[in-house]
C-alpha cells in the first residue's frame, strides 16, 4: 500500500470511527462501506473534515448485486456506489452503501452536500429503482415517463414489457405489449474472392 493510501485509510478510521463498516484496498483504490443509517453523516464528514476534504463527487451509480459475478449472492441486493475526489489532497475514494430494503430500496439524497449528484441519483432511480428521499426532483432521466419497471435490474426481461411507437391512424405515440419473438441471429460472413472488387459490380 502506498504512503498516500495508508494516510487516507488512517484518516478515514480516525474521522469516521465506528461508522466505518469496512475499508478495503483493491486495484490501487480505497473502498469504504457504510450502513444506510450513517450514509448521510459520513458523506458530509467526507466533504467537511479537513483531513479528508473530498470536495467533489464525480460519480454515483446504482448496483444490483443479486447475481454479482454470475453467482447467487447472500445479503442485501441494491447499493449506491459513489466516487469522490479530493483536489487539495490529491486522492480518490469509493463509497458503497446498501439500501436496507430490497423491496423498496431507499437511501438519503446527498444533493445538499454535492449538487453534482443530482442527475446521478435520478439515473440510479430510473434504472435500478433506488429512491433518494430529500432529492428535489427525483424523476426518470433516461427512460420515458410512462416506462414500466427499472431496466438495469437483473430480473428485468431483456425485451422489456411494453413497446412505444407512433400510430399514424391515431396520430400519437402509443404503448402496447412487447411483440418481439426471441430468436438467434447468426451473422453471415462473405468470403467470396471477388467481393468488393469494383470491376465485378
Amino acid at each position: 500500500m502506498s504512503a498516500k493510501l495508508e494516510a487516507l485509510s488512517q484518516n478515514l478510521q480516525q474521522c469516521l470511527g465506528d461508522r466505518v463498516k469496512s475499508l478495503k484496498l483493491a486495484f490501487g483504490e480505497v473502498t469504504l462501506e457504510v450502513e444506510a443509517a450513517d450514509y448521510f453523516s459520513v458523506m458530509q464528514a467526507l466533504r467537511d473534515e479537513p483531513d479528508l476534504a473530498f470536495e467533489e463527487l464525480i460519480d454515483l451509480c446504482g448496483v444490483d448485486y443479486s447475481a454479482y459475478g454470475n453467482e447467487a449472492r447472500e445479503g442485501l441486493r441494491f447499493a449506491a456506489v459513489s466516487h469522490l475526489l479530493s483536489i487539495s489532497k490529491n486522492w480518490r475514494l469509493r463509497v458503497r452503501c446498501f439500501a436496507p430494503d430490497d423491496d423498496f430500496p431507499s437511501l438519503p439524497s446527498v444533493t445538499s452536500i454535492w449538487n453534482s449528484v443530482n442527475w446521478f441519483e435520478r439515473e440510479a432511480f430510473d434504472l435500478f429503482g433506488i429512491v433518494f428521499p430529500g432529492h428535489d426532483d427525483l424523476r426518470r432521466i433516461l427512460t420515458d415517463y410512462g416506462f414500466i419497471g427499472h431496466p438495469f435490474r437483473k430480473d428485468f426481461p431483456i425485451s422489456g414489457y411494453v413497446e412505444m411507437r407512433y400510430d399514424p391512424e391515431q396520430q400519437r405515440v402509443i404503448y402496447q405489449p412487447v411483440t418481439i419473438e426471441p430468436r438467434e441471429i447468426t451473422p453471415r460472413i462473405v468470403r467470396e474472392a471477388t467481393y468488393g472488387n469494383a470491376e465485378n459490380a
Side-chain angles (χ1 to χ4, degrees):
M1 180 185 295
S2 71
K4 182 178 286 187
L5 294 180
E6 180 68 36
L8 172 58
S9 299
Q10 289 177 359
N11 290 0
L12 288 166
Q13 292 282 7
Q14 289 171 0
C15 294
L16 303 177
D18 58 1
R19 292 181 290 177
V20 175
K21 183 178 179 184
S22 75
L23 199 60
K24 296 177 183 171
L25 175 68
F27 306 107
E29 189 171 20
V30 176
T31 300
L32 167 70
E33 189 171 323
V34 297
E35 295 285 355
D38 298 323
Y39 178 62
F40 187 85
S41 66
V42 164
M43 295 300 255
Q44 198 157 26
L46 290 171
R47 184 195 66 183
D48 296 342
E49 286 286 343
D51 291 336
L52 300 173
F54 287 99
E55 302 99 348
E56 290 190 30
L57 183 144
I58 55 177
D59 186 31
L60 179 144
C61 62
V63 182
D64 180 354
Y65 284 95
S66 61
Y68 187 70
N70 296 323
E71 296 177 8
R73 183 179 183 278
E74 296 295 322
L76 296 171
R77 177 177 175 181
F78 297 103
V81 179
S82 303
H83 294 259
L84 307 179
L85 172 66
S86 172
I87 296 170
S88 58
K89 301 284 186 182
N90 192 25
W91 54 34
R92 294 172 183 262
L93 176 68
R94 180 186 297 116
V95 181
R96 181 172 60 183
C97 183
F98 281 91
D101 183 1
D102 289 346
D103 294 328
F104 187 74
S106 174
L107 291 169
S109 175
V110 293
T111 51
S112 62
I113 302 172
W114 296 283
N115 60 10
S116 61
V117 78
N118 188 325
W119 283 12
F120 296 132
E121 288 182 350
R122 285 180 60 189
E123 182 183 63
F125 164 70
D126 190 1
L127 302 179
F128 292 93
I130 302 170
V131 177
F132 294 92
H135 193 289
D136 296 351
D137 188 20
L138 194 63
R139 58 191 162 99
R140 291 189 182 273
I141 190 169
L142 295 173
T143 61
D144 187 69
Y145 295 126
F147 191 87
I148 298 170
H150 303 284
F152 278 17
R153 288 187 174 191
K154 292 185 179 174
D155 55 3
F156 189 82
I158 293 173
S159 60
Y161 297 108
V162 296
E163 60 184 340
M164 180 179 69
R165 68 176 179 81
Y166 180 77
D167 187 331
E169 291 177 9
Q170 298 180 40
Q171 295 185 346
R172 66 181 184 93
V173 173
I174 64 167
Y175 295 89
Q176 63 188 41
V178 170
T179 57
I180 301 170
E181 291 294 325
R183 64 179 190 259
E184 183 178 334
I185 299 174
T186 306
R188 184 176 65 191
I189 301 172
V190 179
R191 295 187 183 275
E192 297 171 5
T194 58
Y195 178 74
N197 291 344
E199 58 194 42
N200 294 327

